[in-house]
Amino acid sequence: MKKNDLDTRRFVIGGVAIAIVVVYIVRLFTLQLMSDDYKKNADSNAFLKKVEFPSRGVISDRNGKLLVYNQPAYDIMVVMKEAQDNIDTLEFCQTLGITREYFDRRMADIQNRTKNPGYSKFTQQIFMGQLSDREFSVFHEKLYRFPGFYIQNRSIRQYEYPYAAHVLGDVAEVSKGDIEADDYYQPGDYIGKQGVERSYERQLRGEKGVQILLRDAHGRIQGHYMDGIYDHKPVPGKNLTLALDIDLQALGERLLEGKIGSIVALDPQTGEVLCMVSSPSYDPRTMVGKQRGRQHQALSKDPWKPLLNRSIMGQYPPGSTFKTSQALTFLSEGIITPQTAYPCYHGFIYKGLKVGCHGHGSPLPLVPAIATSCNGFFCWGLYHMMGNRKKYPDVQTAMNTWRDYMVSMGFGYKLGIDLPGEKRGLIPNAEYYDKAYKGSWNGLTIISISIGQGEVNLTPLQIANLGATIANRGFFYTPHVVKEVEGEPLDTTFTTRHYTMAQRSAYEEVVRGMRAAATGGTCRALAKYDFEACGKTGTAQNRGHDHSIFMGFAPMNDPKIAIAVYVENGGFGAHYGVPIGGLMMEQYLKGSLSPSSEAEAEVFQNKRIFYGTQDR
């Protein structure tokens, strides 16, 4: 063998040996200095990190009445490394009132890293949550017999009233998606699922505390590590004050018993939501603790959809309440003046097209057209706007101008209320009709949108906001259900005015028309009140019985409340919408109903609308 070959072999073998040594050194350095895997395992044996949960913020109404608070509850936790295989499982199950099958399934689920991605056999895992005081007492007496199991103090939500379920929401155990979205949460934690419990979760939840407890070799607690220097106390959640008036909310829910629909009332001067009723509803007190899952499942299968918040999720034709927005647009664009009069021969009749209307005087100018809810007047206004070639070069430009006015009034997009699940409704534009009619359409083709039918859809919240905008003569605030967060300023989103494209003078004319409707027009049932109410009825056509709608505000020159009432299949707006709206305004402005109004409220509370058995 040549000397060069031997030298080469020595270099190769030496290089391999050096490489192996370097790999070992790097690995040891990583394990001992860079990685905390072994340290975590050692800590897990020596320490027990006991999480302390903060009390969730309480929720009150605008008058200080407590709506949501906390009650003590208890969780059973298990540390798998400590749990003994020889515990008396039968006694354990009997103590908790569970079956052996449940015990085995729960223990398996805890150790399933797919279902429980944060699993560690050294840390506490939740075995059973939200024990009552009685269940806790029974289990606590025998706790020493079940090594590896611990009690953890928690709290459970309690709801003072059977009202406002859709606004308040509820709290439930976190999902896998919740944990992935926010590392604050661990399996077994609780989170707001709906309503303000969801939208203000970060403020309500507070901050967790922790105790680091020292254990001996047998797992027995020896005290606080380093005398508790690394412990920190939980920080309570922030309290919320809602804009809601719970007495007004209660009346609204009474009035919509046995009916499908919504009532939304706003303070025009602030955008605060005074009440938000969606019917059918449910009692929020049934959606707490261990019964929450079973109750939620039952409600989700109910064909009348009580979980649906129709106030912000229901998308309906606004009917004749929409005529006010048309009047504002036609006046501001110069299509009409307050003196412009249009004929109405029991409706709009032109080139073989007829949109029917009830009997009233003809021709009519704007104010009495609003007061009598004349279909003909507003159909003619839209037809002349779409066909005005001196002002708009084509129908598409006219249509998009109309659309811009509607959007500026808060239609077609979400208003941005501080509740989850809001829908946007629908306001069509020129592109929508170009696609639908292949570019061949005109004012007659789309005439029904002028009276709140056709393709136009709004939420009850948007209709109420229209009333607030008219009450303010041209601006609105983003509606919000939370009036105050403890220790925080209100988000500027809710304190910024949004001005519409319509002129102030146009609003004054519409207010005159709505007041005339209340004194002698379609809203004449409001004339009996000693406050100056303004209103506009709506009757939206439907495959079945028409929907009854009302939009209004009061008092006329110092508005304190704007309201929308929507009763599905309730018939004319004057049948349900107007009287319910009047009672709600009286309750808020006067603080209570008069004896005669209370008698009227009982009548409407007991009225039922038959909807059949169809799936809604």
Side-chain angles (χ1 to χ4, degrees):
M1 183 177 293
K2 295 181 179 180
K3 183 179 180 182
N4 288 343
D5 292 338
L6 291 173
D7 290 342
T8 301
R9 285 187 177 184
R10 280 201 299 270
F11 284 127
V12 170
I13 293 171
V16 170
I18 291 172
I20 292 172
V21 171
V22 169
V23 168
Y24 272 100
I25 291 173
V26 171
R27 181 58 180 157
L28 287 170
F29 176 80
T30 302
L31 288 174
Q32 294 185 26
L33 300 179
M34 301 298 289
S35 173
D36 62 353
D37 288 351
Y38 285 91
K39 182 177 183 302
K40 283 181 179 178
N41 287 338
D43 286 349
S44 296
N45 282 294
F47 302 138
L48 174 65
K49 292 184 178 180
K50 185 177 180 181
V51 175
E52 291 186 292
F53 290 91
S55 59
R56 198 168 174 86
V58 301
I59 304 175
S60 304
D61 86 336
R62 66 186 300 111
N63 299 311
K65 293 184 178 180
L66 189 62
L67 304 180
V68 187
Y69 58 97
N70 303 302
Q71 287 280 71
Y74 308 90
D75 291 345
I76 297 178
M77 312 297 291
V78 60
V79 177
M80 287 297 186
K81 180 67 175 177
E82 301 173 16
Q84 301 297 317
D85 293 333
N86 60 351
I87 68 169
D88 189 338
T89 309
L90 177 61
E91 184 180 14
F92 183 92
C93 293
Q94 288 177 341
T95 303
L96 288 176
I98 60 176
T99 64
R100 176 61 189 264
E101 289 75 21
Y102 176 88
F103 176 88
D104 292 339
R105 184 173 67 253
R106 188 72 194 108
M107 295 293 274
D109 287 346
I110 289 172
Q111 298 174 82
N112 186 325
R113 294 184 183 275
T114 301
K115 295 182 178 180
N116 186 13
Y119 170 71
S120 168
K121 64 181 178 179
F122 297 104
T123 61
Q124 290 189 352
Q125 307 289 318
I126 186 167
F127 176 82
M128 179 179 288
Q130 298 188 344
L131 269 67
S132 66
D133 287 341
R134 188 190 64 79
E135 292 169 324
F136 162 74
S137 298
V138 172
F139 184 76
H140 191 258
E141 288 179 0
K142 300 181 179 181
L143 183 60
Y144 70 93
R145 301 185 186 181
F146 312 126
F149 287 89
Y150 299 86
I151 294 291
Q152 179 171 263
N153 293 348
R154 292 290 285 265
S155 62
I156 190 172
R157 288 305 242 183
Q158 294 291 331
Y159 299 86
E160 184 69 18
Y161 300 92
Y163 310 120
H166 296 100
V167 175
L168 297 174
D170 61 281
V171 174
E173 191 170 341
V174 292
S175 65
K176 184 178 178 181
D178 294 326
I179 296 171
E180 292 172 349
D182 190 338
D183 59 9
Y184 173 89
Y185 300 103
Q186 299 295 324
D189 284 357
Y190 291 88
I191 190 173
K193 289 293 185 180
Q194 296 295 335
V196 295
E197 293 277 21
R198 181 71 179 187
S199 52
Y200 287 84
E201 166 67 14
R202 288 185 176 274
Q203 291 89 338
L204 287 166
R205 75 187 184 189
E207 297 178 17
K208 297 174 186 173
V210 66
Q211 294 183 38
I212 303 177
L213 304 175
L214 192 62
R215 301 189 289 195
D216 62 17
H218 300 286
R220 293 172 298 201
I221 302 299
Q222 300 299 303
H224 290 264
Y225 175 66
M226 296 285 289
D227 293 325
I229 192 172
Y230 294 110
D231 297 352
H232 59 86
K233 294 184 178 298
V235 178
K238 296 181 178 180
N239 299 331
L240 300 185
T241 300
L242 301 192
L244 219 65
D245 181 325
I246 195 61
D247 294 331
L248 186 67
Q249 180 77 23
L251 175 61
E253 296 198 21
R254 279 179 56 200
L255 295 173
L256 285 191
E257 284 184 19
K259 310 164 191 69
I260 296 175
S262 170
I263 304 172
V264 179
L266 306 174
D267 181 343
Q269 299 178 14
T270 61
E272 294 170 358
V273 177
L274 304 175
C275 83
M276 180 174 284
V277 179
S278 178
S279 181
S281 185
Y282 58 93
D283 187 340
R285 297 175 299 183
T286 64
M287 294 281 278
V288 297
K290 289 182 289 185
Q291 65 181 337
R292 191 261 179 194
R294 184 170 60 253
Q295 177 71 3
H296 186 273
Q297 185 178 36
L299 291 171
S300 65
K301 292 180 178 179
D302 190 321
W304 304 105
K305 297 181 174 56
L307 291 175
L308 179 69
N309 185 353
R310 289 169 168 81
S311 298
I312 61 173
M313 298 176 179
Q315 300 174 94
Y316 300 102
S320 295
T321 61
F322 199 61
K323 292 173 181 174
T324 55
S325 66
Q326 305 310 287
L328 294 165
T329 303
F330 302 156
L331 285 168
S332 299
E333 282 293 287
I335 304 301
I336 64 172
T337 70
Q339 292 74 40
T340 300
Y342 285 127
C344 181
Y345 304 109
H346 286 276
F348 172 81
I349 303 173
Y350 189 67
K351 293 186 176 181
L353 176 66
K354 179 175 181 178
V355 178
C357 188
H358 55 277
H360 55 70
S362 176
L364 289 176
L366 178 63
V367 168
I370 294 174
T372 60
S373 196
C374 173
N375 285 344
F377 185 95
F378 296 96
C379 288
W380 280 115
L382 183 75
Y383 176 73
H384 286 151
M385 180 175 180
M386 293 298 119
N388 190 330
R389 291 298 161 264
K390 292 182 179 179
K391 192 171 183 67
Y392 314 107
D394 50 48
V395 69
Q396 285 81 8
T397 302
M399 184 66 210
N400 284 338
T401 301
W402 178 91
R403 183 274 320 273
D404 291 344
Y405 271 88
M406 298 304 104
V407 170
S408 78
M409 295 177 195
F411 309 143
Y413 294 90
K414 297 177 183 179
L415 283 167
I417 191 171
D418 50 346
L419 288 175
E422 182 188 6
K423 301 299 183 183
R424 62 182 289 177
L426 174 63
I427 293 294
N429 57 15
E431 183 181 2
Y432 180 96
Y433 287 123
D434 282 343
K435 184 176 181 180
Y437 296 106
K438 304 188 186 315
S440 179
W441 57 278
N442 56 38
L444 292 177
T445 315
I446 62 169
I447 201 69
S448 60
I449 66 173
S450 66
I451 57 173
Q453 298 281 172
E455 293 73 30
V456 173
N457 276 326
L458 306 182
T459 65
L461 176 65
Q462 290 172 328
I463 299 173
N465 193 62
L466 171 61
T469 306
I470 297 171
N472 290 333
R473 277 62 167 180
F475 67 88
F476 65 90
Y477 296 95
T478 299
H480 50 285
V481 297
V482 171
K483 182 180 179 69
E484 181 182 348
V485 179
E486 181 184 14
E488 289 186 13
L490 194 64
D491 193 308
T492 55
T493 300
F494 305 124
T495 59
T496 303
R497 288 185 177 185
H498 302 278
Y499 286 88
T500 76
M501 293 173 61
Q503 298 171 356
R504 168 86 187 209
S505 58
Y507 278 99
E508 295 293 356
E509 293 299 321
V510 169
V511 169
R512 287 179 58 215
M514 292 177 66
R515 180 57 185 159
T519 56
T522 56
C523 300
R524 65 178 64 90
L526 300 177
K528 65 182 179 182
Y529 296 107
D530 63 358
F531 49 84
E532 289 186 301
C534 299
K536 182 70 195 75
T537 52
T539 306
Q541 292 179 357
N542 180 49
R543 285 175 295 178
H545 207 39
D546 293 342
H547 301 320
S548 178
I549 318 164
F550 169 74
M551 177 272 291
F553 62 90
M556 181 173 70
N557 294 315
D558 184 22
K560 297 290 195 304
I561 179 173
I563 190 166
V565 179
Y566 209 108
V567 180
E568 291 189 27
N569 306 129
F572 290 116
H575 287 173
Y576 281 94
V578 176
I580 288 176
L583 291 169
M584 295 292 288
M585 288 192 285
E586 180 185 9
Q587 170 68 40
Y588 184 70
L589 295 174
K590 300 296 185 180
S592 62
L593 297 180
S594 67
S596 61
S597 292
E598 177 57 40
E600 184 181 5
E602 290 183 11
V603 170
F604 276 96
Q605 180 179 356
N606 293 323
K607 282 187 174 183
R608 298 290 186 268
I609 297 176
F610 178 72
Y611 293 97
T613 58
Q614 72 270 27
D615 190 332
R616 302 197 62 86

